[in-house]
Amino acid sequence: KLALYPNPTRGEINLAIPFSFESFDATIYDISGRIIKKTNTPQAIDVSNLTNGVYMIDTLIDGRQYTQKFVKN
């Protein structure tokens, strides 16, 4: 299982991935399902420019999909 921290956040989020992997892609969506940001690194994902609210981050790691919710405040 992935750990997303800090949650809630003000500036950036990180994903702790407890297994080795070859590929990583993540997409952040707002609560309406609009794509807000894409990244290919699990550390120091800058979300400081997002408006306060609830977001989903959908990650694809070596073909496996994980979805988590986070709060930006």
Side-chain angles (χ1 to χ4, degrees):
K1 181 171 174 151
L2 307 181
L4 183 143
Y5 64 94
N7 192 10
T9 186
R10 291 183 186 270
E12 66 184 31
I13 55 174
N14 297 279
L15 288 165
I17 304 169
F19 51 85
S20 60
F21 59 92
E22 298 279 323
S23 66
F24 176 93
D25 289 294
T27 305
I28 296 174
Y29 298 89
D30 67 12
I31 203 70
S32 300
R34 291 180 296 226
I35 295 174
I36 302 299
K37 182 173 191 153
K38 292 186 176 200
T39 184
N40 59 5
T41 180
Q43 281 80 39
I45 302 168
D46 183 14
V47 295
S48 61
N49 62 336
L50 302 183
T51 57
N52 292 352
V54 177
Y55 294 87
M56 302 298 289
I57 183 164
D58 189 28
T59 56
L60 189 62
I61 304 169
D62 290 343
R64 292 179 285 185
Q65 186 173 1
Y66 305 87
T67 302
Q68 291 184 279
K69 179 170 62 173
F70 71 93
V71 176
K72 162 64 171 62
N73 60 15

